[in-house]
C-alpha cells in the first residue's frame, strides 16, 4: 500500500544512514494506484501533491475508523472518536474558504463554503510581485455577469452578483500553488515572474473571517521549484530542518546545506507555510 511505502520512505529519510534516499519504491506503488504518474514523463507537482494527500487521507481515515470501532464501548454504545472522515492529513493541511455571494438586484447574500488543501494563487505581474500581491489578487471581490450569473433564490432568476472569498478555517500548514502555467493569446506558457515571499511573519489576517480563531501568522518551511518550460522541466526542493532550522536543497541525489538567501528563488512553484 502506498501509505505504508510512504511511511517507510519517511523512516529512511529520518534515520540518516545514507547521503540520500530514493523514493523509487513509493513511486512504484503509488504509480499502480494512479497510472497517470507511473510513466516517466513530465508531471505537475501540484497535481501529484494533491493525489498524494488524498491517498494518504483515505488510508489514514480507514485506520482511524477501525480504531474507533475497536474502542467502541458496549455499555455507552458510542465511539470515543468521531468517524467523520477526518485524518492527520485533514488536521494538518485542510482549510475552509467561504464565498460570500451578493445578488446585485435584490442584495440578498448567500454563502458557499469550500474546503481546500492547496490554494492556487494567480500571479498578477509578468516581471516581479510579492506573495501578498498574489493573495490580494485571489481574495479581491469579483463580478459574476453574463455566462457566470447566479440563479438567485430570492429573485427567482439569473442575476449579476459579486463574490468575495475569505478563510473561515486556517490550516496548520498552508500550501500555496503559484499559477505559473497560464493561457495567453490562446497559448499556454510559463510565467517566469519573480515572486518575493517572506520567510516568517506571513500575516493572513486580512483574508481571514472574523469568525475564525486560528493562528494567522505563518513561517516558510519548504519550497518546491520548477526549472524549465511547459514540455521539459526539473523539480527541486528547499526544506527547513525542524530542529536545526538550517535550509537544505534537494536535487535528485544531491542534498546540500544552503544559506537562507538562496531560498528566495525565481523558480518557486509551491510554497509551504
Amino acid at each position: 500500500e502506498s501509505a505504508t511505502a510512504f511511511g517507510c520512505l519517511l523512516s529512511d529519510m529520518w534515520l540518516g544512514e545514507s547521503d540520500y534516499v530514493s523514493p523509487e519504491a513509493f513511486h512504484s506503488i503509488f504509480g499502480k494506484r494512479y497510472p497517470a504518474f507511473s510513466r516517466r514523463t513530465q508531471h505537475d507537482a501540484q497535481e501529484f501533491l494533491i493525489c498524494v494527500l488524498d491517498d494518504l487521507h483515505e488510508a489514514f481515515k480507514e485506520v482511524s475508523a477501525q480504531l474507533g470501532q475497536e474502542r467502541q464501548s458496549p455499555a455507552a454504545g458510542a465511539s470515543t472518536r468521531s468517524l467523520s472522515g477526518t485524518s492527520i492529513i485533514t488536521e494538518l493541511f485542510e482549510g475552509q474558504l467561504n464565498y460570500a455571494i451578493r445578488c446585485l438586484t435584490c442584495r440578498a447574500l448567500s454563502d458557499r463554503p469550500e474546503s481546500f488543501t492547496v490554494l492556487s494563487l494567480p500571479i498578477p505581474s509578468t516581471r516581479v510581485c510579492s506573495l501578498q500581491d498574489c493573495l490580494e489578487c485571489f481574495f479581491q471581490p469579483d463580478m459574476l455577469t453574463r455566462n457566470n450569473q447566479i440563479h438567485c433564490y430570492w429573485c427567482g432568476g439569473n442575476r449579476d452578483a459579486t463574490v468575495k472569498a475569505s478563510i473561515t478555517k486556517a490550516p496548520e500548514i498552508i500550501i500555496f500553488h503559484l499559477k505559473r502555467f497560464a493561457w495567453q493569446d490562446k497559448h499556454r506558457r510559463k510565467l517566469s515572474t519573480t515572486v518575493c515571499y517572506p520567510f516568517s511573519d506571513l500575516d493572513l489576517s486580512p483574508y481571514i473571517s472574523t469568525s475564525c480563531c486560528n493562528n494567522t501568522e505563518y513561517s516558510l518551511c519548504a519550497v518546491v521549484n520548477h526549472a524549465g518550460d511547459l514540455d521539459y522541466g526539473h523539480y527541486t526542493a528547499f526544506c527547513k530542518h525542524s530542529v536545526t532550522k538550517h535550509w537544505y536543497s534537494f536535487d535528485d541525489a544531491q542534498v546540500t546545506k544552503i544559506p537562507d538567501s538562496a531560498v528566495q528563488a525565481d523558480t518557486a512553484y509551491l510554497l509551504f507555510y
Side-chain angles (χ1 to χ4, degrees):
E1 183 173 302
S2 53
T4 303
F6 184 78
C8 292
L9 175 61
L10 289 184
S11 178
D12 290 342
M13 289 170 61
W14 281 102
L15 282 174
E17 295 178 348
S18 305
D19 292 336
Y20 63 91
V21 175
S22 170
E24 188 66 32
F26 169 70
H27 177 263
S28 176
I29 294 174
F30 187 81
K32 292 177 182 177
R33 284 180 58 84
Y34 299 90
F37 294 109
S38 64
R39 297 183 297 273
R40 293 187 178 275
T41 54
Q42 181 76 40
H43 296 294
D44 186 85
Q46 182 238 1
E47 294 174 0
F48 179 73
L49 172 65
I50 290 174
C51 280
V52 170
L53 292 178
D54 286 349
D55 190 62
L56 294 177
H57 165 66
E58 289 301 319
F60 295 144
K61 182 180 69 173
E62 292 169 5
V63 171
S64 298
Q66 291 171 4
L67 289 175
Q69 291 171 349
E70 289 170 2
R71 294 173 185 172
Q72 187 172 4
S73 168
S79 172
T80 57
R81 116 172 232 114
S82 170
L83 305 182
S84 60
T86 60
S87 70
I88 185 64
I89 301 300
T90 57
E91 290 171 7
L92 291 176
F93 296 100
E94 188 177 82
Q96 293 285 336
L97 288 173
N98 182 65
Y99 291 94
I101 304 171
R102 184 175 294 279
C103 174
L104 294 181
T105 300
C106 69
R107 310 301 295 178
L109 184 66
S110 59
D111 293 321
R112 194 188 79 196
E114 185 178 291
S115 61
F116 70 89
T117 51
V118 178
L119 277 186
S120 291
L121 304 181
I123 300 177
S125 172
T126 57
R127 296 186 62 188
V128 62
C129 67
S130 68
L131 180 60
Q132 290 287 5
D133 293 331
C134 300
L135 287 165
E136 286 287 343
C137 190
F138 180 90
F139 285 102
Q140 70 180 358
D142 198 9
M143 287 285 295
L144 301 177
T145 60
R146 298 181 181 178
N147 294 336
N148 294 321
Q149 282 185 325
I150 65 164
H151 182 82
C152 182
Y153 171 82
W154 305 100
C155 291
N158 292 337
R159 301 287 187 258
D160 289 351
T162 59
V163 58
K164 189 178 188 308
S166 62
I167 298 174
T168 51
K169 178 196 171 190
E172 186 169 334
I173 300 171
I174 191 164
I175 306 170
F176 298 117
H177 163 230
L178 301 178
K179 296 172 72 173
R180 291 197 177 277
F181 302 103
W183 289 94
Q184 188 176 52
D185 300 327
K186 297 183 180 180
H187 296 286
R188 197 162 182 255
R189 68 186 189 92
K190 182 184 177 183
L191 299 175
S192 56
T193 305
T194 298
V195 179
C196 301
Y197 39 89
F199 289 11
S200 61
D201 302 323
L202 172 65
D203 186 11
L204 295 182
S205 59
Y207 319 109
I208 292 184
S209 168
T210 54
S211 63
C212 177
C213 57
N214 298 64
N215 175 46
T216 62
E217 289 196 355
Y218 289 83
S219 295
L220 187 69
C221 60
V223 179
V224 171
N225 301 291
H226 180 270
D229 54 30
L230 287 171
D231 301 316
Y232 174 81
H234 180 60
Y235 285 110
T236 61
F238 301 146
C239 299
K240 188 177 184 179
H241 197 287
S242 59
V243 178
T244 66
K245 307 304 180 184
H246 294 145
W247 283 93
Y248 291 85
S249 171
F250 295 79
D251 185 354
D252 291 343
Q254 300 295 318
V255 181
T256 54
K257 184 179 176 182
I258 58 173
D260 291 3
S261 58
V263 179
Q264 177 69 61
D266 295 346
T267 51
Y269 185 54
L270 295 170
L271 301 171
F272 295 71
Y273 279 88

